Amino acid sequence: MIAIPILLSLSLLVVDFYINRKIYSPGIVFNGITFLTLFLYSFQLSDIQQTLSERTVLLLTMCVMWFNIPVYIGYAIKIKKNTNLYNQSTKQYAPIELQQHKPVTKLDIIFLTVVLSIFVLEVVYNKGFPLLWRLMKNGKTYVDFGMPGLRIHPFFIALLMLGGEYSIFRKKCYFKWIYLLIPILMVSRAPLLAIIVEGFVVYIVSVQKKPKYFWVYLSVAVLVGIALFGIIGNFRTGKGEFLAVAQFKPFTKWIPSSIKWVYSYMCFSVSNLNNLVSMTPGFVNYGASSMNQIFHSFINIPENKSFYFLVSPNFTVSTFVPTLYLDFGIFGPVIFCMLIGILGVLIYRLIELSEGKKIGYILLYGFYVYAVSCLYFVNMFFEPIILQTFFILIFFIIPNWIQRRKNK
């Protein structure tokens, strides 16, 4: 049964690439991560994994279909570029390549000042940072880092990711090394991965001519990324402890732990999802679960029912589906996929239509690609790092709108 969403996502992936010839189009990203996750899941390398139920397969298949319907409609709509929406005579719409040659901008200074200030405050408040705690073996971990009373850590992480995304592939902008160092000091893979993925999207969208050996560089970068992901995981959790709880089957002993780390993050959440779908048809919390996930501890709406659906207490994520499914049954995840499909193709077409490829839309699309890439891990659209889109609107998109109106 799992072959149905696998083959469907693969077919749509091939068609999308034939239409767009770009590896960052919304259909490529969503169908690619769906195909890769479910294809790897089908090997069932761990005893934690289960055979997916018919209802789970139906849900995943519907999600693929309803994401792609608005995306392909968006591809089909023809809009002329010579519209008054974008005035090529203004410097605001100069190609982003010109911005890449600026070593430092005012926004770089603002972002770095705020990020460093908050980081220093948190280090002082916590009397250290996770990497130091790990080296000292004092028992504290990365989850103990932050300032819970002020609740500024989500803003800090969002701005850290945006500053890193904005600077990582710009020439002579050495602030990038600080943005990459901070997640290492926090022993936190998520911000580091977000900066690299989002920054790569900004780079590949903005450059008109890629380096000669671009695909070789990309392949090497992916391999290095997988290795680092495993190294950080082994350092933070311990290789032995991870392998003990991951319950990989004996025939997988030859597979490096780095690959097993990536496999577990991509696939074990699907088992949790399958457990939940097998327990309930949903429609039990009517929006409360999703609202609580979006606002976290800021508000707490009473939920009618909760379910323990983890296949292991050590693997607590379960894709983007659970809160939506508990609230609105199978319709919740399906409608959500349709909405993010509309959002993705809208931003994608705005980038295509903007003659100068405005940086605000590209940064926004960088976050979008990262969030979609994580859908089978957790719903980043409902996580605090969505604040990153707020900062993009405030610092990039709205100022451009205001400038455009002044130039009319």
Side-chain angles (χ1 to χ4, degrees):
M1 289 292 289
I2 194 175
I4 296 174
I6 290 176
L7 293 176
L8 178 61
S9 57
L10 177 61
S11 301
L12 292 167
L13 176 69
V14 172
V15 174
D16 195 294
F17 186 76
Y18 177 79
I19 294 173
N20 292 289
R21 305 289 178 174
K22 295 184 176 107
I23 64 170
Y24 59 83
S25 65
I28 289 287
V29 177
F30 180 88
N31 294 316
I33 195 63
T34 300
F35 167 74
L36 185 59
T37 300
L38 298 182
F39 179 70
L40 290 175
Y41 188 93
S42 67
F43 289 97
Q44 297 194 15
L45 302 182
S46 168
D47 290 326
I48 286 177
Q49 295 174 268
Q50 312 160 332
T51 300
L52 299 186
S53 67
E54 292 183 3
R55 189 175 182 85
T56 303
V57 171
L58 173 63
L59 186 153
L60 293 171
T61 303
M62 294 293 289
C63 285
V64 173
M65 290 176 57
W66 282 96
F67 176 90
N68 283 277
I69 288 173
V71 166
Y72 276 88
I73 291 174
Y75 292 159
I77 296 174
K78 302 296 182 183
I79 304 176
K80 294 181 180 180
K81 281 190 176 184
N82 57 344
T83 173
N84 292 330
L85 184 61
Y86 303 105
N87 188 343
Q88 297 182 50
S89 65
T90 66
K91 293 182 180 179
Q92 289 294 321
Y93 308 130
I96 186 177
E97 286 84 1
L98 298 180
Q99 296 191 36
Q100 289 177 328
H101 292 287
K102 294 180 181 179
V104 176
T105 66
K106 291 181 180 179
L107 285 177
D108 285 314
I109 297 173
I110 293 172
F111 293 162
L112 187 66
T113 301
V114 176
V115 167
L116 282 178
S117 298
I118 297 176
F119 182 66
V120 170
L121 282 174
E122 293 192 336
V123 170
V124 172
Y125 177 84
N126 292 278
K127 299 178 182 179
F129 48 88
L131 180 59
L132 177 63
W133 298 337
R134 179 69 180 180
L135 294 173
M136 294 176 62
K137 298 181 180 180
N138 65 1
K140 297 178 71 174
T141 67
Y142 67 99
V143 297
D144 300 310
F145 189 71
M147 300 175 67
L150 295 180
R151 296 179 179 177
I152 60 174
H153 196 70
F155 293 89
F156 162 67
I157 293 296
L159 200 56
L160 170 70
M161 290 166 52
L162 176 57
E165 175 191 12
Y166 183 49
S167 64
I168 186 171
F169 286 107
R170 295 217 327 273
K171 295 179 180 179
K172 298 181 180 180
C173 185
Y174 301 116
F175 290 175
K176 70 186 75 171
W177 303 113
I178 300 176
Y179 290 117
L180 293 172
L181 176 63
I182 290 176
I184 294 174
L185 296 178
M186 295 192 302
V187 196
S188 180
R189 288 174 292 192
L192 184 63
L193 181 64
I195 289 171
I196 295 171
V197 172
E198 294 177 17
F200 174 74
V201 173
V202 172
Y203 170 77
I204 199 173
V205 172
S206 63
V207 296
Q208 295 183 3
K209 186 177 181 181
K210 298 176 181 61
K212 184 177 180 180
Y213 299 106
F214 172 77
W215 293 108
V216 176
Y217 297 148
L218 179 59
S219 300
V220 171
V222 170
L223 293 175
V224 171
I226 291 174
L228 287 175
F229 192 83
I231 290 170
I232 296 175
N234 289 337
F235 179 78
R236 190 173 72 173
T237 304
K239 179 179 177 180
E241 290 83 351
F242 162 67
L243 293 177
V245 300
Q247 301 180 40
F248 281 98
K249 296 177 180 178
F251 71 85
T252 65
K253 288 183 178 180
W254 62 274
I255 300 177
S257 63
S258 293
I259 295 178
K260 288 180 177 178
W261 268 108
V262 175
Y263 183 89
S264 66
Y265 266 66
M266 292 184 67
C267 298
F268 290 177
S269 57
V270 178
S271 287
N272 287 336
L273 167 64
N274 186 65
N275 255 4
L276 175 63
V277 172
S278 301
M279 291 178 180
T280 174
F283 273 112
V284 294
N285 290 329
Y286 307 103
S289 297
S290 298
M291 293 298 290
N292 286 335
Q293 185 182 4
I294 293 171
F295 293 103
H296 290 263
S297 57
F298 289 95
I299 63 171
N300 187 16
I301 302 174
E303 299 179 12
N304 294 326
K305 289 184 180 180
S306 62
F307 297 85
Y308 185 84
F309 52 89
L310 303 181
V311 294
S312 167
N314 299 286
F315 298 100
T316 58
V317 295
S318 44
T319 76
F320 69 99
V321 172
T323 56
L324 294 162
Y325 182 79
L326 286 172
D327 286 337
F328 310 111
I330 197 171
F331 298 102
V334 169
I335 293 174
F336 174 80
C337 285
M338 181 183 69
L339 292 176
I340 63 171
I342 294 171
L343 177 64
V345 77
L346 175 62
I347 303 172
Y348 180 75
R349 293 306 299 272
L350 283 172
I351 293 172
E352 284 188 327
L353 289 171
S354 58
E355 297 293 343
K357 291 187 176 180
K358 292 190 292 301
I359 182 64
Y361 291 138
I362 299 176
L363 290 170
L364 193 61
Y365 194 66
F367 171 80
Y368 175 85
V369 169
Y370 173 67
V372 170
S373 300
C374 295
L375 282 177
Y376 291 94
F377 177 65
V378 70
N379 193 343
M380 290 295 180
F381 291 100
F382 284 2
E383 292 294 314
I385 62 170
I386 193 68
L387 290 167
Q388 187 178 350
T389 63
F390 170 77
F391 290 131
I392 292 171
L393 287 170
I394 293 298
F395 290 108
F396 294 97
I397 294 179
I398 292 177
N400 272 340
W401 288 346
I402 294 172
Q403 184 64 40
R404 188 178 70 226
R405 291 183 67 86
K406 289 181 178 179
N407 292 328
K408 283 186 177 180

